[in-house]
């Protein structure tokens, strides 16, 4: 069974600085997707970024980028130039590529932005 | 506007009550999901519907009863719940095998 582990329950960062959130996963599949979702106090889960396992290039979305290490089964999220609006719970998630809509989530990391 | 709307946002119910959670999406998606989010636990997938047909029931107790009358609407009927069922219930929708978009959830408290 696939598992997703986020070992940092809480992180904090000064506004305008850079922070990295960690995620590791376990799977026997070779093709899959990885996601980072953000959950602000409004409670809606918002997709931040996604990575397809067959792509070697790390995904980027503006200030958000990932470090995808397939052999190590590691998928960290880097947030550059942190802003107050980045404060939220961040969830790492895994989904197999074929024939399976199920997302497996980690337990989340609460990110606090210090003004 | 999220595209996936859940009502109510908050619900308090007694253990003998019957209530329903509603989810509506206007994104043209074919798949809809119910997830349960409890404190300090990963989100748990409860049910998946594809083209109105249930394709996954993740060993959910029968006191939770889903209904999908069409691909735009999803309900979760609740009866004789337990206090440990208190949680945030999230609905999501996606294109077939696509990326899920989530609603804002219903915060359920069972007293």
């Amino acid at each position: 069974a696939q598992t997703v582990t986020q070992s940092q329950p809480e992180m904090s960062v000064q506004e305008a600085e850079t922070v990295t959130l960690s995620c590791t996963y376990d799977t026997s599949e070779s093709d899959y997707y990885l996601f980072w979702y953000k959950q602000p106090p409004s409670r809606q889960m918002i997709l931040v970024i996604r990575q397809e396992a067959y792509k070697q290039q790390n995904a980027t979305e503006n200030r958000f980028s990932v470090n995808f290490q397939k052999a190590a089964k590691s998928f960290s999220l880097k947030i550059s130039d942190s802003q107050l609006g980045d404060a939220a719970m961040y969830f790492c998630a895994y989904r197999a590529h074929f024939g399976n809509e199920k997302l497996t989530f980690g337990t989340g990391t609460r990110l606090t932005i210090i003004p | 506007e999220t595209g996936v709307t859940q009502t109510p946002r908050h619900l308090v119910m007694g253990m003998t009550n019957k209530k329903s959670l509603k989810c509506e999406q206007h994104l043209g998606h074919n798949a809809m999901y119910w997830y349960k989010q409890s404190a300090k636990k990963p989100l748990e997938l409860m049910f998946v519907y594809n083209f109105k047909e249930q394709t996954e029931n993740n060993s959910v107790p029968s006191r939770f009863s889903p209904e999908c009358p069409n691909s735009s609407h999803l309900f979760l009927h609740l009866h004789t719940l337990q206090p440990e069922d208190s949680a945030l219930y999230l609905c999501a929708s996606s294109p077939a095998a696509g990326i899920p978009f989530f609603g804002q959830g219903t915060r359920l408290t069972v007293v």
Side-chain angles (χ1 to χ4, degrees):
Chain A
Q2 291 83 15
T3 58
V4 177
T5 302
Q6 293 179 252
S7 59
Q8 305 154 316
E10 297 183 354
M11 293 281 286
S12 61
V13 62
Q14 293 276 354
E15 193 175 2
E17 296 296 309
T18 295
V19 64
T20 298
L21 309 183
S22 301
C23 173
T24 58
Y25 58 94
D26 188 26
T27 183
S28 57
E29 304 286 336
S30 60
D31 201 7
Y32 47 86
Y33 294 101
L34 295 165
F35 305 88
W36 279 98
Y37 278 88
K38 167 185 176 181
Q39 188 179 39
S42 67
R43 305 187 317 219
Q44 186 192 1
M45 297 283 279
I46 301 166
L47 180 67
V48 175
I49 198 165
R50 73 167 178 172
Q51 175 81 41
E52 291 144 320
Y54 69 88
K55 290 186 177 179
Q56 292 186 335
Q57 187 172 7
N58 289 324
T60 62
E61 288 287 341
N62 301 313
R63 299 183 294 107
F64 299 87
S65 61
V66 299
N67 184 2
F68 174 48
Q69 301 289 327
K70 191 173 183 179
K73 296 180 182 175
S74 171
F75 183 61
S76 60
L77 174 69
K78 185 172 83 170
I79 306 174
S80 304
D81 184 26
S82 298
Q83 299 176 1
L84 295 177
D86 296 332
M89 285 289 290
Y90 285 81
F91 293 92
C92 180
Y94 165 99
R95 200 192 81 194
H97 187 213
F98 291 110
N100 189 344
E101 304 90 353
K102 179 179 178 179
L103 279 175
T104 301
F105 285 86
T107 50
T109 297
R110 181 174 301 282
L111 178 65
T112 300
I113 310 297
I114 303 167
Chain B
E1 180 59 44
T2 69
V4 178
T5 304
Q6 290 187 243
T7 54
R9 292 293 309 278
H10 302 270
L11 178 62
V12 179
M13 62 184 289
M15 288 188 283
T16 58
N17 290 160
K18 290 185 179 181
K19 296 285 184 184
S20 297
L21 309 185
K22 180 181 177 182
C23 177
E24 188 172 358
Q25 60 96 1
H26 300 287
L27 300 169
H29 292 164
N30 299 315
M32 296 188 78
Y33 314 77
W34 281 116
Y35 280 86
K36 177 183 179 182
Q37 185 177 18
S38 304
K40 299 190 173 146
K41 293 175 66 175
L43 271 77
E44 303 170 57
L45 179 65
M46 300 175 72
F47 302 103
V48 180
Y49 277 82
N50 272 292
F51 295 94
K52 302 187 299 177
E53 298 297 320
Q54 188 180 124
T55 55
E56 181 147 354
N57 176 338
N58 203 24
S59 302
V60 180
S62 60
R63 57 186 184 269
F64 295 91
S65 175
E67 179 189 2
C68 188
N70 55 62
S71 56
S72 297
H73 293 86
L74 183 66
F75 297 89
L76 188 63
H77 303 300
L78 316 171
H79 64 98
T80 60
L81 294 192
Q82 305 299 310
E84 59 265 29
D85 297 322
S86 299
L88 180 67
Y89 289 84
L90 289 163
C91 174
S93 70
S94 74
I99 299 169
F101 286 80
F102 286 83
Q104 291 182 291
T106 295
R107 172 72 65 192
L108 174 67
T109 304
V110 182
V111 298

